Amino acid sequence: AEHRRKNEYIATYLIRLPVVIQRIGYGKTWIYHLLSEEPCPTPVKIGACAFAFMGREIEEWILLTNSNPHKRR
């Protein structure tokens, strides 16, 4: 899907947890910890027992996390 914002088209895509783990480099347990502790992308429910993340939000979160010197992996 695409949304129009300020005369730009921004692609919206969903990514599942295994892809988030691969891109961020954190394990599943640590990602769940971060979800409960700090501002981070909110999962989107896509089924009865399934969720995904907005791809652009994950990319922005990675940039923010990598630019913060107080974060540890």
Side-chain angles (χ1 to χ4, degrees):
E2 292 195 13
H3 300 282
R4 189 176 177 112
R5 184 186 341 165
K6 296 183 183 180
N7 298 326
E8 292 181 16
Y9 284 98
I10 300 172
T12 302
Y13 58 99
L14 298 174
I15 56 176
R16 300 290 307 271
L17 187 59
V19 177
V20 174
I21 291 170
Q22 179 185 23
R23 288 189 184 172
I24 294 178
Y26 296 149
K28 184 177 9 176
T29 302
W30 188 247
I31 290 173
Y32 286 135
H33 170 75
L34 293 176
L35 288 172
S36 69
E37 293 284 316
E38 49 179 73
C40 59
T42 305
V44 177
K45 191 166 179 133
I46 59 172
C49 297
F51 66 93
F53 294 89
M54 300 297 286
R56 182 166 296 274
E57 290 180 7
I58 292 296
E59 298 302 328
E60 290 171 359
W61 189 44
I62 290 170
L63 291 173
L64 178 66
T65 302
N66 288 338
S67 66
N68 187 342
H70 300 290
K71 298 285 180 195
R72 283 196 254 170
R73 288 187 167 233

